Every structure is written in structure tokens, then in C-alpha cells.
Amino acid sequence: MNIEQLYRQLIMEHYKSPKNKGFVADNHYMTVHLNNPSCGDEMTVQVKIEDNMIVDIKHQGTGCSICCSSASVMSITLMDHTIAESEAIIKEFYEMIKGYPYNPEILKGDALAYQNVSQFPARVKCATLAWKAAEQAILKIKEGIYHG
Ligand code: ZN
């Protein structure tokens, strides 16, 4: 199996058996809903932070396999990281998705399965939708912490 097949298989595994999927009615979570009109993807991401650390992430959405699988990968990639670490990981993910060099010390694991997306500009928004929602949730939590 070559690396592209391996990546495709990883994406399909997360699509079929997503991790951390669901929605909780709990105001300890910051909830952000985003959609991607160009593909019809809808994504709700919930982030719970305790002591500057992401302790839980939930995602619930409908859309294409790239979008839904990417939400699952985002959740396991950012979990148990600090706010600053998560922001750095998200930034490196965007770099990789755009086809730019990324830092493999920061961005690791299943997230790397999306590096070929840079060759398909129409799918970039699909791959980043859940990550953008998580980024906004983290930002809102930070504003609450530092300015609230
Ligand atoms: Zn999509």
C-alpha cells in the first residue's frame, strides 16, 4: 500500500467511525457552528477547556467525507493540548492544507492524511471547516478568560 492509499484509508476510517462525535447540552463547552456553502457541509464543534488545557472536544455535522472525517481527526489531534499548543497545531494544519511547509514536530498523526488536499483547492474548505470552528471556540474562550 502506498502512502496515498494509506491516507485515503485513514480518512475513510474516521468518516465511518468518527471519534468524539456528538453534541452535549453543557455550558462548560464553547459551541461554534460553521458551514461551507460551496460543498453543503455543516459543522458544530464544542470545546471544553480546564486550566488552560483542552479536556474535551465534540463535533456534530453533516457533509462530505473530507469534512466529517477531518472533524474526528481534529478532535483527537487537539485533545489534551494547551490553548497555545492547539493554536500552533491548527496553524500548522492550515499551512499543510495550503501546500506550504509545515512543522512535523507540531503537526503529527492522522492529521497528515489531509496533506494531499492542497492539490484540490475546492476541498480545502471541507478539510478546514471543523478546525476553523475549533479555532473560533478557543478564541472565544480566551476572550472570556482574558477579557471577561
Ligand atoms: Zn465538503
Short mmCIF file of all heavy atoms in Angstrom, two decimals, residues 36 39 41 63-64 66-67 123 126, ligand 1:
data_model
loop_
_atom_site.label_atom_id
_atom_site.label_comp_id
_atom_site.label_asym_id
_atom_site.label_seq_id
_atom_site.Cartn_x
_atom_site.Cartn_y
_atom_site.Cartn_z
N ASN A 36 -20.14 25.46 5.17
CA ASN A 36 -19.33 25.62 3.97
C ASN A 36 -20.28 25.51 2.78
O ASN A 36 -20.53 24.42 2.28
CB ASN A 36 -18.27 24.51 3.95
CG ASN A 36 -17.54 24.41 2.63
OD1 ASN A 36 -17.50 25.36 1.86
ND2 ASN A 36 -16.97 23.25 2.37
N CYS A 39 -19.85 23.36 -0.52
CA CYS A 39 -19.98 21.90 -0.56
C CYS A 39 -21.22 21.42 0.19
O CYS A 39 -21.62 20.28 0.06
CB CYS A 39 -18.71 21.26 0.03
SG CYS A 39 -18.68 19.47 0.06
N ASP A 41 -21.42 21.47 3.52
CA ASP A 41 -21.02 20.94 4.82
C ASP A 41 -21.53 21.84 5.95
O ASP A 41 -21.49 23.06 5.85
CB ASP A 41 -19.49 20.88 4.95
CG ASP A 41 -18.84 20.07 3.86
OD1 ASP A 41 -19.38 19.01 3.51
OD2 ASP A 41 -17.78 20.50 3.36
N GLY A 63 -22.05 16.39 5.98
CA GLY A 63 -21.27 16.89 4.86
C GLY A 63 -20.50 15.77 4.19
O GLY A 63 -20.77 14.58 4.40
N CYS A 64 -19.50 16.18 3.46
CA CYS A 64 -18.73 15.21 2.69
C CYS A 64 -17.75 14.45 3.59
O CYS A 64 -17.55 14.80 4.76
CB CYS A 64 -17.98 15.93 1.57
SG CYS A 64 -16.70 17.05 2.16
N ILE A 66 -14.56 14.29 3.53
CA ILE A 66 -13.38 15.06 3.94
C ILE A 66 -13.72 15.91 5.17
O ILE A 66 -12.97 15.94 6.15
CB ILE A 66 -12.90 15.99 2.79
CG1 ILE A 66 -12.47 15.18 1.56
CG2 ILE A 66 -11.77 16.90 3.25
CD1 ILE A 66 -11.15 14.50 1.66
N CYS A 67 -14.86 16.57 5.12
CA CYS A 67 -15.26 17.45 6.21
C CYS A 67 -15.53 16.67 7.50
O CYS A 67 -15.01 17.00 8.56
CB CYS A 67 -16.50 18.23 5.79
SG CYS A 67 -17.16 19.26 7.11
N ARG A 123 -11.57 21.44 -2.07
CA ARG A 123 -11.77 20.67 -0.85
C ARG A 123 -11.10 21.29 0.38
O ARG A 123 -11.26 20.78 1.48
CB ARG A 123 -11.26 19.23 -1.01
CG ARG A 123 -11.70 18.52 -2.26
CD ARG A 123 -13.18 18.75 -2.60
NE ARG A 123 -14.14 18.22 -1.65
CZ ARG A 123 -14.61 16.99 -1.68
NH1 ARG A 123 -14.23 16.15 -2.59
NH2 ARG A 123 -15.50 16.60 -0.78
N CYS A 126 -13.51 22.17 3.00
CA CYS A 126 -14.06 20.97 3.64
C CYS A 126 -13.11 20.49 4.73
O CYS A 126 -13.53 20.18 5.85
CB CYS A 126 -14.23 19.85 2.61
SG CYS A 126 -15.25 20.28 1.19
ZN ZN B 1 -17.18 19.17 1.83
#
